[in-house]
Amino acid sequence: MQLLDTVSNFFITSAHADTGSAPAPQGGFSFFIMMGILVFFMYFAIWRPQARRAKEQRDLLGSLAKGDEVVTAGGILGTISKISDNYVVLSMAENVEITMQKSSIVSALPKGTLKSI
């Protein structure tokens, strides 16, 4: 019986009355901290990398010149034969040219890449 009392005292603790301490603040300030962390995360994880990619694309389109070898968004490889403000004419083979929007160019290839393919 004594063992049973010891085990029950171990698992069942005595209830004590609360001493009436002041309630803890609800943490309204922590809401602003969490929002600040969220804004910080959105800036460094989403907005800043996207702005960097857009700047690289603008620089690429601004540096295009006649004779550059490029890849379009559709995967077409070609050499620029004519260039204007919004359009480029790509030469894909002898006597095969297509006119495309400048914004569809995704990357420039090193010179001589198309001849090696």
Side-chain angles (χ1 to χ4, degrees), residues 96-110:
V96 179
E97 291 184 341
I98 57 171
T99 303
M100 301 190 78
Q101 286 184 336
K102 207 180 206 183
S103 60
S104 67
I105 295 176
V106 256
S107 67
L109 299 172

Side-chain angles (χ1 to χ4, degrees), residues 72-94:
T72 66
I76 298 173
L77 302 169
T79 304
I80 296 176
S81 58
K82 294 179 192 170
I83 191 164
S84 66
D85 289 339
N86 295 323
Y87 295 96
V88 293
V89 177
L90 290 182
S91 173
M92 296 180 296
E94 196 171 320

Side-chain angles (χ1 to χ4, degrees), residues 28 49-50 54 69 73 87 110:
Q50 179 61 31
E69 297 176 355
Y87 295 96

Side-chain angles (χ1 to χ4, degrees), residues 55-67:
K55 182 180 182 292
E56 289 172 357
Q57 181 69 11
R58 273 193 316 269
D59 293 343
L60 170 70
L61 295 179
S63 69
L64 292 177
K66 184 177 177 181

Side-chain angles (χ1 to χ4, degrees), residues 23-45:
Q26 291 298 319
F29 186 68
S30 67
F31 173 75
F32 292 114
I33 291 174
M34 290 301 292
M35 292 307 289
I37 291 171
L38 179 66
V39 168
F40 181 80
F41 173 76
M42 295 291 279
Y43 175 75
F44 282 104

